Structure formats: C-alpha cells, structure tokens
Amino acid sequence: MAAPVELAPGVDAMLVTDHAAALRVLHSPELFAKDPRRWLALADGTVPADSPVVPMMMYRPNALFSDGAEHLRLRQAVTDSLDRIDPYQLRRFVERSSDYLVDQWAGIGRVDLLNQYAKTLPLLVFSELFGSPPELGDRLVAGIAGIFDAVGDAEAANTMLTGALVELVALKREQPGSDVTSWLMAHPSRLTDEEMIHQLVMLMSAGTEPQRNLIANGLRLILSDERFSASLFGGGASVEDALDEVLWTDPPMANYAVHYPVRDVDLSGVILPRGTPVVISFAATNSDPALIANGRRPSNRSHLAWSAGPHACPAKDSAWLIAIAAIEKLLNRLPDLELAVPVDELDWRPGPFNRALTALPARFTPIAPRPTPPADPAPTRAATAPERPESGARKGGVWSSFLNWWRGQ
C-alpha cells in the first residue's frame, strides 16, 4: 500500500506502508532510483530549495544518493573501509566513552539520558573512528549536532562541518593513519577529495542521529517495560532483545529510504508517478499485519529498520555493537537507574523522518566517578591509543576533554 503525504509544506511524496510493497521498491533499482536529481518538483522549482526537508533529500555525490556503477564504486569503498574496524576494540572504546560521560554527572543522581549520554556517545566514537584530531573533532561534533538539532544557525553549522571535513581530508592526505578516513582515501576506488567529504558526511550523519535514537529508544523500553526491566542483569541477551523490539516498533528512522520512479510504476494498484519521492515507512511496514502469523512476528531479520536491497545500511553491525555496549555499560555503572517521569509523559521530536525523543530524564543513586584508567587501543586494527595533534585544540570541547580525560590530564 502507498498513499500520498506532505512531508513539509508544499513537498508531496508517496508513503509506502506495506511490507511486501516496500521490498519491491527497495529491491528494484531498475524501477526506483536513488538519485534525487530525478525529483521533478525540486528540479522545476515547485519545491523551494530552502524547504526544511531538502537537506535530507537533496543530491550529494555519495553512496546514498547514487545508482548503478557509481553507487557500486562508492559503496564498495565504504563497506571495505568499515569492514576493517576491529569489533573488540570498538566495544572497548564505546565502554571508555561511556565511562567518561557517566563520570560527568555520576555524583548528581539525575541525568537526561538522551542529551547527556545517547546524543554525545556516538559523536565521540565516530570522531575516533574517523581519526579526527581534537581541534577538528570538536568542530565535527558541533557541526553535526547543529544540523540535526536545527537549533540556531543551521547554515553556519553546515559550514563548520564542511570546513572541518575539508581539513580532515587534507590532514589524512599528508598523514594517513589507521582510521576509516585513511582507509577510504587509500581504497582502489580512488575517491576524489569532494567524494571523500561527501562519504564522510553520509557516514557521520547516519552514524550519529539514528545511533543516538537507537540507544535512547532502547533505554526507554528497558526502563519502562517489565519484560526487560525485570531482567536487566540477565546478561547481554536482555539488551539485545530490547533493541530488537525497538527496531520493530520504534525504528530510529521511522520514514526514509527515498526513491524516485524512473517511469510511472503500478505498485499494488497505486500509480507512483515518475520523479515523485517515494518514502518507505519503516515503522509502518514493520507493523504490517501480513507479517504476523498466529500472533507472532517472523525472525528479527524480517524488519526493515536497516532498510534492504542495494542501499541497505552498510554499518549495521557496528551500529548494533555500539548500542549494545553503550546500554550494557550504563546499566552496569548505574544499577538502580530509572525514569524520572512516567513513560507516557515523554515527548517525541516532530519531523517526517526520525523517531526521536526530545529528552529522557532519569534518576539514580549518586556514585563517585571512576579513577582515570590507562589508555586502551583505539577501535581499529593495529591502532594505538589516541595520539592526536594538540596544537589549536579548543579547551573545553567534548572531544578534546575526552582525550584529556583518557590520558589522565
């Protein structure tokens, strides 16, 4: 099933809510393209360029918005680079990041788990994964947060992010390391500097906003649902089960995977006009009654929270690991953690794409911060503890402060 929707004032699209129909769209690149330059209403000016949904839908030369051979070339560079991440070292870095964040408010007894934990932890992890020195990492953190939060001057945040990435690419051209940026740069696909910047924007954006929503939505479920809260200390399976439930019922990206029919297409009796945005509702397709048999869902692999087809999320394994490690570590540090307000009083951010809370207030018995531990290897193969250039680092920035904490300064 597909139905017309308005994503924003004057921005029309077709929303797919049927699981089987969604799979047809996602697995039929010959009929449904990803390149937004096929979006007729944007091309002819019907949709204004300053529409709030355009930044999430406009063309960029990266793997998300390309098709055919170009998509394969860019996607291979991304997947090959991500495959080099050592999952064991990644988990250790997530745990260290978690310890650092918890130590900032451990003695208070109250915390906003979204804005003081789930939002910041992925930014720390991705700054390290991409080999960012402190003076750039702080700007990447601020730039990404400014774009997604839509607070203040989004254009200035975008300029900050782009400028930091230009400098990061230039730095890695001169000083490659054991990090995703350097691996992308050395890949046989021979990415240009412009392509490098756009792959990094895609990876960092996809790895921060959806990741924080996955962590926060998982914590919300665990702290409010007796099925999970009663077995917090039953091991990793409890957290994994909770995250599986979130991916079915509250996927971090509720609606996205925008495609454009290359011609008029009949989808289950509904005509999808050429060049019209076709949006997949992951939340709706996951609750499709056709998936339920005898009151039970199919296997966990049947949900579409990670999308499907040639543009399925290439980083789902790392995203899954980060979320599990972040939640397990937090619950181990704060065993009596509980929501500070009734779950039905929590607010969700408005918007056509995300399933995101505005805040997740919680309380716990105050604890003393942990002593600064010795540094572990960074989360990449053959990597060493973070040794970043210090000149020009902004004192007080989240990434700089974290590195100083790590080193015991």
Side-chain angles (χ1 to χ4, degrees), residues 6-358:
E6 190 176 45
L7 298 177
V11 183
D12 296 323
M14 298 295 291
L15 187 70
V16 178
T17 58
D18 175 86
H19 189 271
L23 286 177
R24 184 185 174 198
V25 173
L26 296 170
H27 285 285
S28 303
E30 72 282 0
L31 293 176
F32 298 95
K34 287 287 292 179
D35 189 335
R37 289 174 294 186
R38 293 179 178 271
W39 185 4
L40 297 181
L42 182 64
D44 66 16
T46 301
V47 170
D50 61 355
S51 171
V53 298
V54 167
M56 289 284 287
M57 300 171 63
M58 64 184 287
Y59 172 74
R60 304 174 193 271
N62 60 34
L64 180 62
F65 296 120
S66 57
D67 299 297
E70 187 66 3
H71 169 253
L72 290 175
R73 182 178 72 88
L74 297 174
R75 169 99 179 185
Q76 195 65 54
V78 168
T79 55
D80 287 350
S81 299
L82 294 177
D83 284 346
R84 296 181 66 176
I85 296 172
D86 185 325
Y88 299 103
Q89 293 182 349
L90 174 58
R91 183 181 182 96
R92 292 177 71 86
F93 189 81
V94 173
E95 291 175 347
R96 286 296 176 85
S97 300
S98 173
D99 275 333
Y100 166 74
L101 293 174
V102 172
D103 285 345
Q104 308 309 300
W105 34 261
I108 301 175
R110 299 183 70 89
V111 63
D112 178 349
L113 290 173
L114 175 74
N115 293 296
Q116 293 177 268
Y117 188 73
K119 175 180 175 180
T120 307
L121 186 144
L123 297 173
L124 293 175
V125 172
F126 272 74
S127 289
E128 173 60 27
L129 284 177
F130 289 87
S132 176
E135 66 272 20
L136 297 184
D138 291 340
R139 288 156 58 194
L140 291 173
V141 167
I144 292 173
I147 290 172
F148 273 110
D149 290 346
V151 175
D153 192 338
E155 184 176 354
N158 183 61
T159 300
M160 178 187 298
L161 174 61
T162 302
L165 289 174
V166 169
E167 293 181 41
L168 179 60
V169 169
L171 174 65
K172 292 302 175 180
R173 291 285 185 199
E174 296 180 0
Q175 304 174 29
S178 185
D179 52 67
V180 174
T181 306
S182 299
W183 294 334
L184 277 169
M185 196 169 289
H187 194 270
S189 59
R190 301 177 64 85
L191 300 179
T192 66
D193 283 0
E194 181 184 16
E195 289 173 335
M196 281 289 306
I197 291 168
H198 285 286
Q199 306 321 301
L200 291 173
V201 169
M202 175 191 70
L203 288 170
M204 290 185 177
S205 299
T208 50
E209 175 74 9
Q211 185 77 61
R212 83 179 188 181
N213 294 340
L214 179 58
I215 294 170
N217 294 353
L219 285 168
R220 167 188 171 272
L221 181 64
I222 288 172
L223 298 178
S224 64
D225 192 318
E226 291 183 356
R227 291 175 300 163
F228 305 104
S229 59
S231 59
L232 287 181
F233 302 102
S238 176
V239 172
E240 291 174 4
D241 289 344
L243 289 176
D244 275 330
E245 182 75 10
V246 165
L247 291 174
W248 275 103
T249 61
D250 285 313
M253 296 295 289
N255 311 294
Y256 201 46
V258 186
H259 288 69
Y260 303 87
V262 300
R263 57 176 173 77
D264 291 356
V265 177
D266 185 334
L267 186 70
S268 303
V270 177
I271 300 299
L272 305 180
R274 178 179 70 89
T276 297
V278 175
V279 180
I280 305 298
S281 177
F282 300 125
T285 57
N286 286 350
S287 60
D288 187 342
L291 288 177
I292 307 299
N294 300 320
R296 300 181 62 183
R297 296 193 191 112
S299 70
N300 287 327
R301 295 180 180 179
S302 299
H303 68 67
L304 296 180
W306 305 113
S307 193
H311 284 87
C313 177
K316 66 178 181 179
D317 290 341
S318 293
W320 181 251
L321 185 156
I322 291 169
I324 291 174
I327 293 175
E328 288 182 348
K329 185 65 174 179
L330 176 70
L331 297 178
N332 287 335
R333 289 286 307 273
L334 306 173
D336 63 349
L337 186 69
E338 63 180 9
L339 293 181
V341 299
V343 66
D344 57 5
E345 292 184 11
L346 296 174
D347 293 325
W348 297 91
R349 283 164 49 196
F353 303 119
N354 296 327
R355 178 61 170 168
L357 291 163
T358 59

